[in-house]
Amino acid sequence: MRFLIVDDDFDSRRLMQKILYTYGYCDVAVDGEEAVEAFRSSFKTGEPYDLICLDIIMPNMDGQQALREIREIETEQGVPEDRRVKAVMISALDDTKELHDAFFLGEATSYLVKPIRKKTLLNEIRNLGLPLEEKSPA
């Protein structure tokens, strides 16, 4: 399982990485621009992400725009809809407009409000149909 964690807040990135690293490989990005580049690079290396945890409010490029660009990359690469990366949008705001935009403009798979709780995040990932199995220690 491959995860991309995108958040401009160091503590949020560290928390999500701590939760997810036992289940797979975690890359991190600090803004939407880095996220899009990491996503594009994952196709070049033949190791696409299974899940992106994407903060909405970030500098340079917000999470909404990043997800739209990620979906464009998937379209360019011919990724079938049922094989697209699962995208969990994360925000400190419980905002109806952001929620609407995430699902209808960016085709988000899920939406969580901070603070992120381990049980909530893992349950959401399972609900998306991704198998969470602890990886063997290296």
Side-chain angles (χ1 to χ4, degrees):
M1 183 89 54
R2 289 182 47 86
F3 305 104
L4 177 58
I5 299 163
V6 187
D7 201 308
D8 61 321
D9 179 69
F10 175 79
D11 290 330
S12 294
R13 284 192 312 270
R14 186 174 62 177
L15 173 64
M16 284 187 279
Q17 191 172 19
K18 185 176 181 180
I19 293 170
L20 296 174
Y21 86 97
T22 29
Y23 301 100
Y25 182 81
C26 297
D27 280 338
V28 295
V30 298
D31 61 29
E33 289 177 355
E34 273 192 13
V36 171
E37 287 309 309
F39 189 80
R40 186 174 280 119
S41 177
S42 75
F43 274 98
K44 289 178 183 172
T45 62
E47 298 177 307
Y49 294 106
D50 299 293
L51 177 80
I52 298 176
C53 294
L54 188 59
D55 187 26
I56 292 178
I57 300 171
M58 295 181 290
N60 302 321
M61 179 190 294
D62 69 20
Q64 301 283 22
Q65 181 62 37
L67 183 56
R68 286 191 293 275
E69 290 194 24
I70 286 167
R71 295 300 186 212
E72 286 175 19
I73 292 167
E74 288 176 320
T75 300
E76 291 167 7
Q77 296 293 322
V79 177
E81 263 190 57
D82 64 331
R83 305 272 301 154
R84 289 182 167 201
V85 67
K86 305 294 187 211
V88 177
M89 302 302 286
I90 297 173
S91 179
L93 305 173
D94 192 2
D95 182 311
T96 306
K97 181 189 178 319
E98 292 292 350
L99 181 62
H100 172 272
D101 290 353
F103 282 105
F104 294 104
L105 300 179
E107 301 173 48
T109 319
S110 184
Y111 186 96
L112 294 176
V113 177
K114 290 179 183 179
I116 298 299
R117 305 273 188 251
K118 179 178 181 176
K119 184 177 180 179
T120 304
L121 179 58
L122 295 179
N123 284 341
E124 195 63 33
I125 293 169
R126 287 184 185 102
N127 288 340
L128 294 174
L130 293 174
L132 286 178
E133 298 175 15
E134 290 191 28
K135 63 183 180 183
S136 306

